[in-house]
Structure formats: C-alpha cells, structure tokens
Amino acid sequence: MRVFVLAGEPSGDRLGGALMQGLKQLVPGVAFDGIGGPNMIAEGLTSRFPMDELSVMGIAEVLPKYRHLKRRLNQTVDWVIETKPDVLLTIDAPDFSLRVASQVKERSDIRCVHYVAPTVWAWRAGRAAKMARYLDQLLALLPFEPPYFEEVGLRCDFVGHPVAAETVPTDAEVAAFRAEAGLGDARTLLVLPGSRKGEVGRLAPVFGEALRPVMTQHPDLRVVVPAADHVASDVLEMVKTWPGAPVVLDPRGMRGDVATARKRAAFRAADLALAASGTVSLELAAADTPMVVAYDMNWLTWQIASLMVKLDTYTLVNLVAGTKAVPEYMGPNCRPQPIADALNHLLSSPEALAEQHGAMAATMDALGRGAEPPGLRAARAVLDGLG
C-alpha cells in the first residue's frame, strides 16, 4: 500500500504522525511519500520539501510568497499524479491541501481523503457541497460534524480528537509543578490570553483589568500565565501591570516535551481558568479545569463574523456537550467587569463548578477518551474507505 500524505503546519504534522503510526500497525510494509514535519518524518516519511514552507498564515504573509507557494502546489499535484498512490491524504491547512486534492481529482481517479473537517457548522456552509465534488472521504475531530457533510453526499468519519488521548499529569507531577512555581496550597487561576501576538495585544489588557475585582475578593488567589514561546516576551511585559504577581511560564530555552509537560501540569493544578476562545477550552476540559472564555477582535471583523457565524455559543466544550455551562464573553461583551463577575461566581459557587465538571467529562467522553487512539481510528477509517 502506498500513501501520499500532506501536512502544512505543526498541528497537522502531529495528526499525520499518529495516523501513519496507525497505518503501519494495521498494514505492515505501507510506504509513505509526501510533505510533513518531524512527527511524520519520524514515522518514515522523507519529505519532498520542508513543511515550514507551507506554514504561512494571513494575506500579508502569503502575498510575498504567492509564486513560490503556487509552484509548490503544482509540484505536489504532479508528484501525486506521477506516483499514483492508493490514497492521497491531506491534513488540515485547507488553503493548500484542498487545492491539491481538487487538482488531483481533476486529473485522476486517485482516492482523496482530507483529515480535519472545516467548520461548516459555524460559517460558510456551502463549502461542504464544494468539497464533495473532489473529496472521497473526510475525517472529523468533533462528533457532531459528520451529518453536515453526509447530507451533501460526502463520507465523513468521526475518528476522535487527539486532546482526549493526551496523558493526564499525575498527582505527583502536579505537586512538583506547584512546588516549582511557589504556589503552595493556594487556589490558582490560570490565565491564557492567546497564542498569537494580535490576540495577546487585544486580550491581555482586558484580562488584566478583570483580575482586579477578582483579586480584591480573593486576595490569596495565585495567578499563573502559560505563554507560547513566540509571544512570551509580550506576555511578560503585559503582566507587569496585572495584580496578583502572576507567575509566567516561559517555554523559551526549554525542550519541547518538557515545556509541554509543565503546561499540562499547570492546567491540571489550576482551580479555574480565564482563556481566549479556541481549542484551549478542550485542553482545559481534559485537565478537568473549569473556565471562563472570552475573545475579542477588531470592530469590523466582529461585525462581519457576527453576520456569518450561525452559533449561539462559541466554546467547544459547550458545543460538544450541548450546554451553556462555560460562561463566554465574545466581541463587545469581552469587558473586564462581566468577566470578573463570572470568575467570582465560579470561585464561590459549588453548583456552577459541578455543572462545568459534568460538561467537561461529557465532552471528553464524546471526543473519545478511553477509546482507541485517534491516529489508529483514523487509519482504520482510511482503510475501510479503500474497501
């Protein structure tokens, strides 16, 4: 069996590495070709070119590299056609991946499978029908996604979310983190203002102001701020004005696996979190850490997004569990006082905390906690599709 596999960013590389591992377990001797990063290379892929060339986001970043990306797109399509794999497997990075799949399907009958369903349930629902014209199968991370694609004739398999398979820190690891961070036995609030510079710039001032009423009511509360390496300097600068003498977890200079283990221990150690909207809510749910979620963007973007998005909640825990247990403050509602009120309520309401713990447990169960690893489930789905 020959598989051409394509990932364009680190998250896709992690998914691809796990899927390749699953395929190797189920089909000894499977051969891989394509483009990927260190996780996929570790599973036996010789990448046709460095995956980093595709890890470009935003119009301002893409435009200067357009010709090069276009050349890589054409090369990738040609390589797939020439090698005639049993399946083309594209992973996330839809701007590049789906263009490759579309052009391959125009020129051949090679089976095309895409891993990670676009959020058609939130906005641009018409994408599902367009994808059905050139994809043979879709692999979804969220359990409610398949019907959106199956109704337009595209096979869609839910294969579990990788966050549900992550290792949960032990009590000993949590205790070691609390000692290292100097937290003692104090109640701890985790603050996560985002992983991109723009997010941090917008959210950190709001989050900092939201902390003031919270610290007034709970003066013994400790604040911990995990920072992504590329925004760590920004975070360190911004928290200087925050109350509570925040402990910033700076991963720069640390080995990746060590930094990840420390971050997971911090998530597990926290009593409560204030987080930017995104997949971090699932990481918090995996750690069983209750949360308040908030997010803001510039005024024009919010106006456009609010017209296009067809949801009454944005937080993935709420969406997966079918609840409103997690308070969220989006767009114009992302203001310090309402956020502070929600944090204070959770810190003093066992009933609200119990509701969130129930929603988080339901979310993890729905995402596949305790089931086969997502990479193996995804491999089984790909093989089933091949018949």
Side-chain angles (χ1 to χ4, degrees):
M1 178 182 177
R2 290 175 294 115
V3 180
F4 195 103
V5 58
L6 163 65
E9 52 199 10
S11 59
D13 175 55
R14 290 191 291 272
L15 291 172
L19 192 155
M20 290 170 65
Q21 188 178 72
L23 284 172
K24 287 162 61 178
Q25 181 177 334
L26 298 173
V27 187
V30 60
F32 298 105
D33 191 2
I35 299 97
N39 290 279
M40 293 164 63
I41 290 169
E43 295 300 329
L45 177 70
T46 300
S47 187
R48 294 272 189 160
F49 57 81
M51 184 189 74
D52 291 350
E53 293 185 23
L54 304 180
S55 300
V56 183
M57 292 183 64
I59 294 174
E61 292 78 15
V62 169
L63 283 178
K65 300 182 179 181
Y66 175 78
R67 288 186 178 179
H68 179 70
L69 290 170
K70 179 67 173 175
R71 183 167 63 253
R72 286 304 197 195
L73 173 67
N74 293 336
Q75 286 178 327
T76 303
V77 172
D78 288 341
W79 288 329
V80 176
I81 299 298
E82 290 166 8
T83 57
K84 298 179 180 176
D86 295 288
V87 60
L88 165 65
L89 178 61
T90 57
I91 306 172
D92 213 359
D95 288 340
F96 189 87
S97 293
L98 295 181
R99 283 182 171 86
V100 169
S102 175
Q103 293 186 28
V104 165
K105 188 60 76 174
E106 286 178 2
R107 295 171 53 185
S108 74
D109 61 354
I110 293 170
R111 184 170 181 82
C112 295
V113 180
H114 186 69
Y115 193 179
V116 183
T119 55
V120 300
W121 40 269
W123 69 302
R124 290 176 60 197
R127 287 176 292 172
K130 292 179 181 178
M131 292 167 64
R133 298 171 191 162
Y134 55 84
L135 288 181
D136 298 290
Q137 186 178 6
L138 189 61
L139 307 179
L141 303 184
L142 300 173
F144 57 78
E145 292 180 313
Y148 291 92
F149 299 93
E150 291 167 346
E151 70 179 9
V152 295
L154 174 57
R155 172 173 173 170
C156 185
D157 295 82
F158 167 61
V159 296
H161 197 291
V163 73
E166 289 179 354
T167 302
V168 177
T170 64
D171 291 343
E173 289 168 332
V174 171
F177 166 76
R178 293 187 69 89
E180 173 199 342
L183 301 176
D185 58 359
R187 296 181 82 184
T188 302
L189 172 65
L190 204 66
V191 182
L192 299 140
S195 58
R196 301 184 179 94
K197 283 184 177 290
E199 290 175 338
V200 172
R202 286 190 303 271
L203 297 177
V206 177
F207 286 9
E209 286 304 306
L211 288 179
R212 297 191 187 282
V214 177
M215 297 305 300
T216 298
Q217 193 164 324
H218 304 275
D220 295 330
L221 190 69
R222 297 300 309 275
V223 177
V224 175
V225 187
D229 55 0
H230 50 285
V231 294
S233 59
D234 301 84
V235 171
L236 282 164
E237 184 63 30
M238 290 186 177
V239 303
K240 288 178 180 179
T241 62
W242 288 14
V247 176
V248 177
L249 304 183
D250 186 348
R252 292 175 297 180
M254 297 182 71
R255 216 173 61 222
D257 59 333
V258 175
T260 297
R262 183 177 68 165
K263 177 185 171 183
R264 288 180 183 164
F267 276 44
R268 185 72 174 171
D271 296 278
L272 183 63
L274 169 58
S277 179
T279 54
V280 69
S281 69
L282 297 182
E283 296 179 62
L284 290 166
D288 197 30
T289 301
M291 70 197 85
V292 173
V293 169
Y295 200 79
D296 198 8
M297 55 195 73
N298 70 59
W299 182 86
L300 180 58
T301 302
W302 173 258
Q303 295 303 313
I304 295 171
S306 60
L307 290 174
M308 297 178 67
V309 175
K310 49 186 180 182
L311 298 172
D312 62 355
T313 181
Y314 298 83
T315 302
L316 286 169
V317 172
N318 288 343
L319 287 165
V320 174
T323 182
K324 296 285 187 68
V326 176
E328 56 184 20
Y329 299 90
M330 314 299 290
N333 295 319
C334 182
R335 295 182 289 110
Q337 192 58 55
I339 293 171
D341 291 343
L343 290 169
N344 277 327
H345 177 64
L346 283 170
L347 286 166
S348 59
S349 173
E351 295 79 14
L353 289 176
E355 184 183 9
Q356 275 213 40
H357 286 302
M360 291 187 293
T363 296
M364 287 300 105
D365 290 344
L367 293 182
R369 180 169 57 186
E372 276 190 337
L376 183 57
R377 292 175 66 179
R380 289 191 193 282
V382 170
L383 295 175
D384 183 68
L386 286 169

